[in-house]
Amino acid sequence: MTTIESLLKEERRFEPSAAFTAAAHLSGGAAYDELYRRSLEDPESFWSERARADLLWSKPFEQVLDWRPPHARWFLGGQLNASANCLDKHLSGPRRNKAALIWEGEPGEIRTYTYLQLHREVCKAANALAALGVEKGDRVAIYMPMIPEIVVAMLACARLGAAHTVVFGGFSAEALRDRILDAQAKLVITADGGFRRGAALPLKPAVDAACEQAPCVQNVLVVRRCGNPVSWVAGRDHWWQEVVERALPVRPATAVDSEHLLFTLYTSGTTGKPKGIVHTTAGYLLYTQMTSRYVFDLKDEDVYWCTADCGWITGHSYIVYGPLQCGATVLLYEGTPNTPHPGRFWEMIGRHRVTVFYTAPTAIRTFVKWGDEHPLRFDLSSLRLLGTVGEPINPEAWMWYHRLIGKERCPIVDTWWQTETGGILISPLPGVTATKPGSATKPFFGIEPEVVNEKGEACAADHGGLLVIKRPWPGMLRTVYNDDQRYRETYFGRFPTMYFTGDGARRDKDGYFWILGRVDDVMNVSGHRLSTMEIESALVSHEAVAEAAVVGRPDALTGQAITAFVTLHSKEPKLDSMREALKAHVAKEIGAFARPAEIRFAEALPKTRSGKIMRRLLRDIAAGQQTVGDTTTLEDLSVLARLREDED
Ligand code: WTA
């Protein structure tokens, strides 16, 4: 492998507005350049100043960084508590009675918690957990819907110095069991169910099945949310409403070392077994707080809404730990975006006067498909900043977001990061960075990314290669839980002192990063290494296309041939002439050698529960093979069956 060819050239550029810049936390490119330069030239003083100023310490740290590749330890000698940094910190000032959480259930009820009220709930839950035997150093699994209690549960664990392992509520009993066992969780917090698409979706049966095969679990704490019937194991199961409600609303926060385990979060790699990504306390808190402040420009007046689920890293870093440390008002929503109608999100933005909105490209493409009439019906005038995360955003989806949602007024921060990185590493800073649709733009302070070839040598501008990070940062993962060898191999196996992201990227002449997707999604067609993402973007730029996924299938002549799975806008007929038109469109946008060999129309694409297209499954279908790999993270299994039936 030499380098990855990068073919899409996006020329549009959007400067920050003078009004936004004037009010932003950081104003103008010069301020960024200066701070960025300092953060690289003297990282220890940069980070230690920020850690002293921005974190609430029980005991100050003595050493900033101990970097013995591939292991980093930060802020050694210090002690602190994560829940105290999210809550107690705000209780002595005017934020005490400010809304910390505004929650909307799918059926429509609204609950608001001030910082003081949230603090009391967390203390009660911590006391209840302690009474059930949870101690500092223990692990607790959380398997819950998006209700306020999930935030309370996470912070209550942190208050005791116990680590949480949040397992997304859409995972199966088997996936839950594997994570509970790997973490050796002592207690599980769950609910009877959660509301999705207008109905109660039960959670307790999966917990019951998982616990049958997980003897480490001693107690299960169950929030009554839907009132649906649940089976009960006497002695093991407890209603949240009984034990938490009667617990004392005060509980001192347990001071833990800077490098104390805050949580593990499981993520899938290229092999079947999920990896428990390890994040510790001080570095993670500092990094999520700083990125929240600068990337989302959070101010006390903001109403901030991140549509992620707490079961993913985005929920950890940018619903709970980052924004609450900043004293923000965080909106939380339980349900799906099209219940009871496809304008639900836009209606909620109007109702709560949301100012900062953070969502995923896959959601945006879905909204494009549903039609412009839905956002147009609602008042979006409160919005001032938009964000995206999770995958590369196609320039056409970016432009739709910019026009229809941001009304050409709101900066868009396209934030690149990973479960492993803890927080955002590459992103525009609003008010500072001119944006280009489809580019995550520039590194955050202290982050030194590079695009390299297989030998680890820097690629020239505009040449695609592997994205690495050349030095440690406070929010980085510390290891893989119970498997340090896997940590070393996955992230530092190729280059011993540089963190390997697994993503391809190119850097343009202005120093902007363009993420090309996972390198295992890269195709090799006639000796050209092509990013699936760029061909998808070309397809989506065609007016008939709602969503596209591109994979390579083995081809005797060209190495790989391109198969594109395409979802058309609902009213478009699926004609052969459309197939030809789309092939010609890609050839026109990128070049004849990138012309798909095959276009398949699909009603829906197989996605993970976090919305990522599962190209691995599509590759099998394109190659005409039975899927042998793991499908436990697939959102809707029937999609696979339907794709097979569609085979010509
Ligand atoms: C992809 C989600 C392009 C990337 C926070 C990364 C992105 C993986 C972007 C991590 C972005 C995330 N542009 N690609 N703005 N953000 N990715 O661990 O491939 O669920 O490696 O973390 O998502 O996914 P994860």
Side-chain angles (χ1 to χ4, degrees):
M1 173 182 160
T2 49
T3 54
I4 302 164
E5 278 180 42
S6 174
L7 309 153
L8 266 193
K9 293 286 178 281
E10 171 62 53
E11 303 293 346
R12 285 169 289 203
R13 189 184 160 101
F14 296 85
E15 299 294 335
S17 76
F20 198 102
T21 302
H25 274 302
L26 204 70
S27 291
Y32 165 83
D33 290 343
E34 167 57 20
L35 210 52
Y36 182 68
R37 191 184 53 76
R38 252 204 66 210
S39 75
L40 292 196
E41 277 176 8
D42 192 359
E44 299 219 352
S45 78
F46 176 82
W47 291 118
S48 73
E49 266 170 38
R50 299 310 305 241
R52 282 201 182 89
D54 296 348
L55 294 177
L56 181 67
W57 294 94
S58 310
K59 179 167 169 280
F61 59 91
E62 286 144 23
Q63 186 187 347
V64 183
L65 170 64
D66 174 39
W67 174 223
R68 288 175 220 185
H71 293 111
R73 297 188 304 153
W74 289 84
F75 309 118
L76 299 169
Q79 291 199 331
L80 74 175
N81 180 281
S83 88
N85 272 277
C86 292
L87 302 173
D88 306 44
K89 184 172 113 175
H90 306 303
L91 298 188
S92 51
R95 286 181 187 144
R96 176 218 299 248
N97 292 321
K98 172 184 174 174
L101 292 182
I102 300 174
W103 172 75
E104 205 174 295
E106 198 189 73
E109 66 272 60
I110 293 171
R111 269 199 260 159
T112 302
Y113 294 79
T114 65
Y115 274 91
L116 185 62
Q117 289 167 335
L118 187 59
H119 180 263
R120 287 170 65 87
E121 292 305 312
V122 168
C123 286
K124 287 194 307 197
N127 280 323
L129 290 175
L132 292 171
V134 175
E135 294 173 4
K136 178 176 167 183
D138 287 341
R139 275 85 49 216
V140 172
I142 296 178
Y143 184 70
M144 294 172 77
M146 282 294 282
I147 53 179
E149 288 83 354
I150 191 170
V151 178
V152 174
M154 291 165 74
L155 292 173
C157 290
R159 197 157 190 88
L160 298 172
H164 52 71
T165 291
V166 185
V167 180
F168 173 61
F171 274 118
S172 64
E174 292 74 25
L176 174 62
R177 176 202 58 205
D178 292 347
R179 287 158 176 76
I180 289 174
L181 284 175
D182 192 69
Q184 284 292 296
K186 200 172 183 180
L187 186 142
V188 179
I189 309 178
T190 188
D192 52 2
F195 284 104
R196 287 193 81 73
R197 300 191 167 85
L201 190 76
L203 288 170
K204 182 77 169 32
V207 174
D208 291 335
C211 288
E212 240 164 63
Q213 294 168 25
C216 52
V217 176
Q218 296 164 10
N219 291 287
V220 175
L221 195 51
V222 189
V223 179
R224 195 198 302 274
R225 161 67 185 132
C226 301
N228 51 316
V230 292
S231 62
W232 205 251
V233 177
R236 184 197 72 182
D237 296 352
H238 315 269
W239 286 114
W240 173 285
Q241 275 82 349
E242 285 167 16
V243 297
V244 174
E245 284 322 314
R246 65 166 184 256
L248 268 184
V250 267
R251 168 110 201 165
T254 303
V256 300
D257 291 337
S258 291
E259 284 295 338
H260 186 75
L261 178 63
L262 179 60
F263 65 85
T264 62
L265 184 62
Y266 288 81
T267 183
S268 43
T270 42
T271 68
K273 188 177 179 290
K275 297 179 287 214
I277 302 301
V278 167
H279 284 290
T280 59
T281 306
Y284 174 81
L285 287 176
L286 178 65
Y287 197 74
T288 51
Q289 180 184 174
M290 280 181 64
T291 46
S292 296
R293 174 169 313 119
Y294 289 119
V295 176
F296 300 116
D297 191 43
L298 287 181
K299 309 267 177 51
D300 266 315
E301 308 76 55
D302 279 313
V303 177
Y304 163 86
W305 186 16
C306 165
T307 67
D309 191 283
C310 283
W312 309 115
I313 190 68
T314 307
H316 285 61
S317 301
Y318 298 113
I319 292 177
V320 181
Y321 291 106
L324 293 181
Q325 281 189 86
C326 292
T329 294
V330 176
L331 180 64
L332 212 62
Y333 173 54
E334 176 182 36
T336 51
N338 53 351
T339 306
H341 59 77
R344 177 72 184 256
F345 275 17
W346 321 123
E347 184 183 26
M348 284 179 61
I349 287 173
R351 177 155 50 238
H352 300 285
R353 308 298 292 154
V354 171
T355 56
V356 180
F357 180 67
Y358 189 34
T359 194
T362 181
I364 297 170
R365 291 193 301 266
T366 305
F367 300 140
V368 174
K369 191 167 101 184
W370 287 344
D372 296 358
E373 63 270 27
H374 305 293
L376 287 174
R377 272 176 51 213
F378 296 96
D379 176 12
L380 305 181
S381 62
S382 55
L383 288 172
R384 67 180 193 94
L385 176 62
L386 304 175
T388 70
V389 59
E391 50 178 326
I393 180 161
N394 329 82
E396 290 321 309
W398 195 103
M399 288 305 300
W400 183 90
Y401 200 31
H402 174 64
R403 287 204 194 102
L404 267 288
I405 309 305
K407 313 290 183 194
E408 303 186 10
R409 178 172 49 75
C410 303
I412 297 179
V413 291
D414 172 355
T415 63
W416 176 85
W417 59 295
Q418 309 175 298
T419 305
E420 292 88 340
T421 69
I424 296 163
L425 297 198
I426 304 180
S427 169
L429 297 184
V432 172
T433 319
T435 52
K436 305 183 187 185
S439 172
T441 79
K442 300 235 194 165
F444 192 71
F445 304 119
I447 305 302
E448 193 185 3
E450 185 76 84
V451 177
V452 301
N453 64 19
E454 285 282 271
K455 293 194 201 116
E457 301 155 343
C459 296
D462 278 328
H463 284 264
L466 307 172
L467 180 64
V468 297
I469 312 296
K470 290 170 76 178
R471 56 170 86 199
W473 66 99
M476 72 189 282
L477 79 165
R478 298 303 192 259
T479 185
V480 172
Y481 198 69
N482 290 333
D483 200 349
D484 194 56
Q485 192 53 32
R486 193 162 175 204
Y487 168 77
R488 292 167 178 273
E489 282 165 11
T490 311
Y491 305 107
F492 293 90
R494 278 180 192 240
F495 313 115
T497 62
M498 301 194 287
Y499 169 80
F500 176 53
T501 65
D503 279 356
R506 78 178 158 91
R507 176 154 43 178
D508 71 16
K509 292 188 183 61
D510 299 330
Y512 279 46
F513 286 86
W514 298 77
I515 308 298
L516 302 172
R518 304 292 302 169
V519 287
D520 44 15
D521 285 338
V522 168
M523 300 172 295
N524 192 326
V525 181
S526 306
H528 297 285
R529 295 197 65 87
L530 303 177
S531 151
T532 53
M533 189 282 290
E534 290 188 310
I535 297 172
E536 288 161 10
S537 276
L539 285 164
V540 173
S541 74
H542 189 282
E543 66 211 13
V545 175
E547 190 160 45
V550 164
V551 296
R553 67 167 155 78
D555 186 283
L557 201 62
T558 57
Q560 283 188 311
I562 300 169
T563 299
F565 293 83
V566 171
T567 308
L568 297 178
H569 287 295
S570 34
K571 292 173 207 92
E572 292 288 344
K574 301 179 183 67
L575 303 174
D576 275 343
S577 57
M578 178 59 77
R579 286 199 176 86
E580 289 317 306
L582 292 179
K583 288 180 189 176
H585 183 70
V586 174
K588 177 169 110 332
E589 292 290 306
I590 298 185
F593 60 92
R595 184 188 187 94
E598 187 186 10
I599 302 266
R600 292 197 187 188
F601 295 125
E603 288 305 324
L605 299 172
K607 289 184 187 165
T608 64
R609 295 186 169 96
S610 65
K612 288 192 176 44
I613 293 170
M614 292 182 82
R615 292 191 184 71
R616 179 168 56 77
L617 302 183
L618 290 174
R619 274 197 291 271
D620 292 347
I621 292 172
Q625 288 166 358
Q626 272 303 319
T627 299
V628 284
D630 178 20
T631 54
T632 54
T633 57
L634 186 65
E635 164 87 60
D636 178 1
L637 263 176
S638 66
V639 168
L640 266 194
R642 274 182 277 140
L643 281 170
R644 286 229 178 69
E645 282 161 18
D646 286 347
E647 279 170 30
D648 298 330

